[in-house]
């Protein structure tokens, strides 16, 4: 067992030999920022001030060799070899919400496009379940693997969890969801997870950038804001390849009709002149750059494929967005 001290907060916690720094912190109720929990997104990056760690496998775009050499680490895959003193990018209390392992029952399945299924999971009636709009769950599969999906509903809609599941080519679990698992199947999840959630203490206007099923957590955040009658301006940019991929388009249109602070800008990247689309075309992050020459007064919430999220961050910060005003959740696919 090794002890970790977070220098900038004074918190300490113990890490068992089988645990990563992040797993132990979550178990101790200490909120380090994180996203994928498998070394792919870089959200959990922090600095080791003293002590040594060994890393499990991770992706080079999440932590470069140069960063590693200066003492940076990915806490989701770093295992201490001795006691540590670390520094973290941020530590925020998520209203005392700790993740738990729960059984859930598939309540309904609705296929909305060729490759998007909306799943409703019923939570145990005896357990209360709290989460922040935008967080995610992980399915705990029988073979020990985990699969992460964002929660698409808002916290006030209790008793169930809505997920938007895209069929991944060669993805065993998503193929099962589409073709096998019937309604009433019981699955196990760990939830809620992740530090991609709506920061409600700010009143800055929000630009939301959602690629594909990255719409799910953004939907949860917007429905949460509507429930709370938030007047913060929200500009929702949704990027999809084809017109047919724009599931729940009517819902987004409806939001704008009764909430004048919400704007909705769908952007199609791979359409053709024959598809009848009258709206914006191109890449979704570019639409934001075209519309806002100065992003310094905004907060951005971005969710989608890692390439889109990385490009958005890089280009938006060049256009004035402060680093700390960019919140993201990149879909990552856990190594098989
Ligand atoms: S790299 Fe650690 S949470 Fe994504």
């Amino acid at each position: 067992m090794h002890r970790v001290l977070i220098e900038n907060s004074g918190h300490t916690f113990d890490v068992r030999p089988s645990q990563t720094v992040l797993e132990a912190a979550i178990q101790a109720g200490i909120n380090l920022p994180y996203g994928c929990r498998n070394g792919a997104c870089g959200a959990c990056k922090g600095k080791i001030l003293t002590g040594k760690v060994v890393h499990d496998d991770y992706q080079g775009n999440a932590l470069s060799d140069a960063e590693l050499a200066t003492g940076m680490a990915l806490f989701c895959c770093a295992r201490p070899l001795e006691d540590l003193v670390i520094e973290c990018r941020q530590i925020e209390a998520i209203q005392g919400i700790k993740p738990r392992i729960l059984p859930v029952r598939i309540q309904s399945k609705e296929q909305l496009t060729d490759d998007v299924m909306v799943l409703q999971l019923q939570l145990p009636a005896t357990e209360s379940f709290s989460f922040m709009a935008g967080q995610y769950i992980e399915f705990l599969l029988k073979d020990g693997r985990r699969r992460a999906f964002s929660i698409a509903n808002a916290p006030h809609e209790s008793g169930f969890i809505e997920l938007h599941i895209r069929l991944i080519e060669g993805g065993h679990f998503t193929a099962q969801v589409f073709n096998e698992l019937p309604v009433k199947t019981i699955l196990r999840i760990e939830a809620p997870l992740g530090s991609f959630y709506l920061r409600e203490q700010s009143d800055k206007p929000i630009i939301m950038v959602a690629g594909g099923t990255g719409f799910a957590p953004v939907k949860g955040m917007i429905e949460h804001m509507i429930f709370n009658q938030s007047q913060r301006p929200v500009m929702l940019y949704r990027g999809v390849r084809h017109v047919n991929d724009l599931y729940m388009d009517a819902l987004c249109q409806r939001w704008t009709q009764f909430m004048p602070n919400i704007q909705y800008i769908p952007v199609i990247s791979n359409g053709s002149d024959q598809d009848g689309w009258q709206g914006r075309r191109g890449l979704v992050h570019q639409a934001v750059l075209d519309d806002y020459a100065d992003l310094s007064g905004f907060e951005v919430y971005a969710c989608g494929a890692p390439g889109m999220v990385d490009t958005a961050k890089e280009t938006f910060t060049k256009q004035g967005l402060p680093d700390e005003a960019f919140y993201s959740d990149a879909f990552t696919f856990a190594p098989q």
Side-chain angles (χ1 to χ4, degrees):
M1 184 106 84
H2 296 296
R3 175 145 287 212
V4 177
L5 165 68
I6 306 172
E7 189 174 81
N8 40 320
S9 70
H11 289 130
T12 58
F13 57 97
D14 291 326
V15 188
R16 292 200 309 272
S18 60
Q19 288 181 309
T20 64
V21 173
L22 179 66
E23 283 165 355
I26 291 174
Q27 197 173 65
I30 292 173
N31 295 299
L32 305 190
Y34 65 91
C36 66
R37 300 216 295 182
N38 64 33
C41 73
C44 63
K45 194 157 36 189
K47 188 156 191 166
I48 311 268
L49 299 176
T50 62
K52 282 201 177 67
V53 297
V54 59
H55 277 94
D56 298 342
D57 288 348
Y58 62 88
Q59 295 183 16
N61 59 342
L63 180 72
S64 68
D65 289 347
E67 288 175 315
L68 188 64
T70 61
M72 302 301 283
L74 295 177
F75 292 131
C76 72
C77 29
R79 296 174 193 274
L81 296 173
E82 53 195 16
D83 289 355
L84 304 176
V85 180
I86 64 171
E87 190 179 80
C88 307
R89 187 167 53 80
Q90 72 182 111
I91 298 180
E92 298 184 23
I94 309 183
Q95 293 185 357
I97 298 174
K98 274 197 199 179
R100 286 181 298 150
I101 292 178
L102 297 164
V104 291
R105 184 194 300 267
I106 299 180
Q107 195 170 29
S108 66
K109 291 168 69 170
E110 188 183 3
Q111 188 166 350
L112 295 189
T113 72
D114 287 348
D115 64 356
V116 175
M117 179 80 80
V118 173
L119 215 59
Q120 284 217 355
L121 304 176
Q122 187 183 5
L123 290 158
T126 48
E127 305 252 8
S128 70
F129 177 72
S130 310
F131 64 97
M132 306 284 280
Q135 287 193 285
Y136 71 88
I137 68 145
E138 281 184 352
F139 285 108
L140 310 180
L141 308 185
K142 289 209 174 92
D143 58 7
R145 286 181 297 172
R146 292 166 166 258
R147 288 293 175 268
F149 296 93
S150 298
I151 302 173
N153 53 313
H156 66 273
E157 296 176 302
S158 57
F160 75 97
I161 291 174
E162 175 182 320
L163 306 176
H164 299 174
I165 297 187
R166 187 168 73 82
L167 184 62
I168 307 286
E169 217 182 300
H172 184 63
F173 178 68
T174 62
Q176 273 191 328
V177 169
F178 270 68
N179 304 320
E180 292 169 31
L181 300 178
V183 168
K184 293 195 174 151
T185 301
I186 305 269
L187 298 163
R188 277 196 322 146
I189 63 167
E190 185 174 12
L193 296 165
S195 50
F196 183 66
Y197 59 87
L198 189 65
R199 271 59 174 182
E200 293 175 78
Q201 63 283 10
S202 165
D203 57 5
K204 284 187 179 176
I206 301 176
I207 293 175
M208 293 188 169
V209 187
T213 47
F215 173 61
V218 159
K219 169 180 175 286
M221 289 180 188
I222 291 181
E223 290 182 335
H224 178 66
M225 293 179 76
I226 292 173
F227 178 73
N228 287 332
Q229 301 187 338
S230 167
Q231 300 303 313
R232 277 175 85 177
V234 177
M235 282 66 73
L236 166 60
Y237 287 79
R238 270 188 84 181
V240 292
R241 291 196 181 145
H242 303 284
V243 181
N244 293 344
D245 298 328
L246 210 52
Y247 68 93
M248 296 191 176
D249 179 57
L251 172 70
C252 301
Q253 304 283 1
R254 253 197 331 273
W255 289 336
T256 65
Q257 283 159 16
F258 64 90
M259 296 297 290
N261 56 319
I262 299 178
Q263 286 176 39
Y264 171 50
I265 305 102
V267 184
I268 305 290
S269 63
N270 289 18
S272 70
D273 291 343
Q274 281 78 53
D275 63 17
W277 179 247
Q278 307 284 327
R280 305 277 288 266
R281 290 185 189 272
L283 295 176
V284 66
H285 79 278
Q286 189 58 48
V288 176
L289 294 168
D290 293 345
D291 291 352
Y292 297 94
D294 178 4
L295 287 165
S296 59
F298 292 85
E299 281 181 359
V300 171
Y301 289 79
C303 188
M308 183 280 277
V309 171
D310 289 350
T311 309
K313 178 157 195 193
E314 193 185 320
T315 52
F316 291 2
T317 44
K318 280 193 190 137
Q319 215 143 291
L321 185 77
D323 257 353
E324 64 281 6
F326 186 87
Y327 302 101
S328 66
D329 214 3
F331 294 150
T332 53
F333 303 108
Q336 301 292 313

